[in-house]
């Protein structure tokens, strides 16, 4: 892993964000909103012991992670 390549990717994305502020919305705002919504939903399910460790917890985590990657990828391609 070359540091100059990492630096160049970061610099490229910095230039894109400066040119179009909507990228910040897709990179920061929507992932935070998704995490908060799923976090509160998980707390609601755990409150009544409706959420058992296992497949449902794994799926909720996967949805949060997918939303994070999807919104970041969308922000850099549009």
């Amino acid at each position: 892993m070359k540091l100059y390549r990492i630096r160049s990717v970061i610099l490229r994305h910095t230039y894109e964000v400066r040119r179009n502020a909507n990228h910040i919305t897709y990179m920061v705002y929507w992932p935070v909103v998704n995490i908060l919504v799923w976090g509160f939903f998980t707390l609601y399910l755990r409150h009544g012991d409706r959420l058992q460790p296992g497949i449902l917890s794994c799926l909720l985590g996967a949805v949060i992670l997918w939303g994070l990657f999807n919104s970041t990828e969308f922000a850099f391609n549009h």
Side-chain angles (χ1 to χ4, degrees), residues 3-20:
L3 288 178
Y4 70 90
R5 288 184 181 185
I6 295 171
R7 183 177 168 266
S8 64
V9 169
I10 291 171
L11 193 61
R12 176 180 173 260
H13 291 305
T14 303
Y15 290 147
E16 286 181 6
V17 167
R18 269 199 260 166
R19 191 175 52 118
N20 188 354

Side-chain angles (χ1 to χ4, degrees), residues 52-69:
Q52 299 299 323
I55 190 73
L56 189 55
S57 299
C58 183
L59 286 175
L60 286 175
V63 167
I64 292 170
L65 190 61
W66 177 81
L68 178 74
F69 287 143

Side-chain angles (χ1 to χ4, degrees), residues 26-69:
Y26 290 112
M27 288 186 317
V28 177
Y29 177 73
W30 287 115
V32 169
V33 168
N34 284 335
I35 289 171
L36 287 175
V37 167
W38 284 105
F40 285 130
F41 183 64
T42 305
L43 287 176
Y44 169 74
L45 290 175
R46 288 199 61 109
H47 179 69
D49 288 333
R50 295 179 203 102
L51 182 62
Q52 299 299 323
I55 190 73
L56 189 55
S57 299
C58 183
L59 286 175
L60 286 175
V63 167
I64 292 170
L65 190 61
W66 177 81
L68 178 74
F69 287 143

